[in-house]
Amino acid sequence: MDVVIVGAGVGGRKLIEAVYGHPEVTIQCVVDTNPNASGIKLAEELGIPTREDYQQAVLEYPADAVLEATGEEDVLHCLQQLVSNDTAVISGAALRFVVLLVEDKVRLIQALQSRQQLASEVTNLKDVQTLLEAIIQSTQDAISVVDADGRGILINPAYTRLTGLRPEAVIGQPANVDIAEGESMHLQVLRTRRPVKNVPLKVGPTKREVVVDVAPIIVGNELRGSVGVIHDVSEIKRLTEELNRANHLIRTVQAKYTFDDIIGTSPAITLAVEQARRAAETPATVLLRGESGTGKELFAHAIHRQSDRHSHPFVRVNCAALSESLLESELFGYEEGAFTGAKRGGKRGLFEEASQGTLFLDEIGEMSTATQAKLLRALQEQEIVRVGGTNPILIDVRLIAATHVNLEQAVAKGRFREDLYYRLNVVPIVIPPLRYRKQDIPPIAEYIVYRHNQTYGRNVERISDTAVARLMDYDWPGNVRELENTIGRAMIHMSFHETVLDAHHLPPVQRVDPLSVSVSDDRFTALSNVAVAPHLKRLPEMVREIERQIIINTLQKNGGNKTDAARQLGISLRSLYNKLDSSEND
C-alpha cells in the first residue's frame, strides 16, 4: 500500500515513525507548508520525498491512501475533491485515534522488551550467585560473611568444620559470636573500612587457633558488609613443631651461622672477626674467650662454615651442663658393658661423630682435670679410647673451645692443666663484651627485632630514638643475650598493630655503679648485712658470706631456677652447683 502523508507536525511525525518500515506500507511523500517541520526533517533523514504543496503532491504521487494529519477541515475537503474514487482520504481525527493505538502498542512493546531484558539480567545474576555459592561452599578455607550491621549472612561447610558452629548459630547473629579469644575483625573492618591480614585469633567452643584475613565489601562507595577467610593453623603448627624437632637434631651435626650473621662494625668486633676468618683457613685449634652472652658459639659456627670442613659435621657440647662421668662418655663413647645402663653394642662418642668435621667444646674451663687429661691425649695423639675399651680409635677432628673463665688464673690455681692450656691456646680470639662496643647496639637490636617479629608474630618496623638511647645507656653485663632477652620481653607486651618499639615498652634497665649503689638495693643486701659487723669476721669469711647471700637472693628472684640464676650471675651452671655445695658444707 502506497500512502501520502499531509501534515508533518507532531502528529505527522508520529505517523511516519509508526508506518515507516512496515513491510506492506510505502510512504510515497510527506507534505507540509513548513520546511522545518519535525516530520519533514525525519522524512529527509529516511530518504522520503517531501513537498510543500499537497495539491501538487497528490497529483504527482498517486497513492492508495492519503493520511491527512493537519486537522484542518478545508484541507480534508480539498483532498477528497482532488483524489480519485480509488484513493482513500483518512481524516486527522481518525488518524489521532490510530496514533493513540500505535503509541499504546509501542509502549507495550517497550515494556515487554524491558521486562525481557530484566528477566535475562536476573537469570544471569542467579547463575553468578549459584556459581559463587558453589565456590564458597567447596573451598577448603573457612569463609564467613556479615552485613553492614555486623550480623552473619553466610558461612560455608569449612567454617563449620573449623569452628564447630552450625549455620543456625551464626546466621543473623553478631559477628563476634564465634570469637573465643581476641577481637572480631569483622567489626573492626566495618568501623575502619580497611582490610586486615594474618590476625591470630581463637574461635569456636574448642578455642581453635586460626589466622584470619578480613576485607570490606563496598558497592558503589557504600559499605555492604565484610568477608573473612579463616585459616586453620593447628596443622601448620604441628608441621612446624616437627620441623623444629628435626632442626634440633640437625643442629647437633650442622653449623647454622656464618660471619655475615655477626653484626657490628666497631673496631673490637671487626678485629675478632678478622682473626676468626684467618683461623678458619687453617686446621689449628681455636680458643674463643669472652664473657657469657658475647656470641662465642656464633663465632664457632662461622669458623666451621668458612673452613674446608664445612661439608662435614659440626658437633657441639656444653661441658658445664654434663657431669664428669657423663661428659667423658659423651666425648669418647663407651663399649658395651662399660657401666650399668650402657647400651648394647656401646656408643660412638662425639669425637667420632665429628669425624672430618669440627667439635665445639663450650665452657671448657668447667671440665674436670681427669677429663682434661683424656682430652689432652686426644689432641696430642689424634686418637681416643672409649670408656671401658682398650683399642685406640684414630680421629680427624678440628677442635674449637670456648670459655668465659680466666684460664691463666685457673692454671695458676691448679684447676686447669697447663699443658692442655697451651694445646688449646693456639689461636686465641677475644670476643669483646657489648659494653665495649656500644656503637653496635642499634644494628644488633634491629636484627633482634627482625627475628622476634617472626617468632612472636609481631610487626615492629623500627626502634625509636628514645628507646635506642636507653639501650645505649646501659652496660649490658649479660651482653647480647641480655639485650635479646630485654627486647624480646618488650615485644611480647606490644600489641599486634604497634610498629614502633618505644622506650616505654622496654623493661626497667639501669646502669649499675658499684660505688654509688644504695644498700637498699636488694642486689647488694648481702653487702650491707655483712658490713654492719666487720669486726666479727675475717675477710675470706665475709667474701664467702656475701657470695652466698647474693646466690640466695638471685635464686629467689628466679623462682629457684638454677639455670636462670647462673645466667644472671654470669657463671656456669656447674659453678653454681659447686658454690651451693661449698656453702652447705660451710
Side-chain angles (χ1 to χ4, degrees), residues 2 21 91 115 120 158 345-346 393 403 449 452 482 540-541 545 548:
D2 296 331
S91 67
R115 289 187 180 183
S120 176
I393 301 172
T403 183
V449 166
H452 285 339
E482 183 182 1
E541 295 173 336
E545 178 65 19
R548 186 183 72 84

Side-chain angles (χ1 to χ4, degrees), residues 168-222:
E168 54 268 23
V170 178
I171 304 301
Q173 299 300 317
N176 57 4
V177 69
D178 57 354
I179 304 298
E181 289 185 15
E183 176 189 359
S184 170
M185 289 300 103
H186 276 302
L187 297 179
Q188 177 177 319
V189 168
L190 291 176
R191 287 195 306 268
T192 64
R193 289 194 169 203
R194 293 185 177 181
V196 295
K197 289 185 177 182
N198 299 326
V199 179
L201 295 173
K202 291 186 179 181
V203 298
T206 59
K207 296 185 177 181
R208 196 74 167 267
E209 292 188 39
V210 298
V211 172
V212 301
D213 301 333
V214 182
I217 302 173
I218 298 177
V219 180
N221 204 32
E222 180 182 353

Side-chain angles (χ1 to χ4, degrees), residues 480-493:
V480 178
R481 184 180 292 120
E482 183 182 1
L483 175 63
E484 183 173 14
N485 175 272
T486 299
I487 294 176
R489 288 166 60 192
M491 292 180 64
I492 287 173
H493 292 94

Side-chain angles (χ1 to χ4, degrees), residues 85-146:
N85 294 332
D86 296 330
T87 301
V89 178
I90 302 174
S91 67
L95 287 176
R96 281 195 293 273
F97 177 71
V98 172
V99 167
L100 290 174
L101 294 177
V102 170
E103 288 177 345
D104 288 342
K105 174 185 176 183
V106 169
R107 283 196 293 269
L108 179 59
I109 292 172
Q110 290 175 343
L112 290 174
Q113 290 176 340
S114 177
R115 289 187 180 183
Q116 288 177 348
Q117 182 179 0
L118 182 60
S120 176
E121 292 177 354
V122 169
T123 301
N124 291 337
L125 287 175
K126 287 184 177 180
D127 291 342
V128 172
Q129 180 183 5
T130 301
L131 178 61
L132 288 176
E133 287 181 350
I135 293 173
I136 291 174
Q137 296 298 321
S138 62
T139 183
Q140 295 302 307
D141 283 325
I143 294 177
S144 68
V145 183
V146 303

Side-chain angles (χ1 to χ4, degrees), residues 422-434:
Y422 290 119
R423 279 286 177 183
L424 296 175
N425 201 37
V426 179
V427 183
I429 299 174
V430 178
I431 304 173
L434 196 55

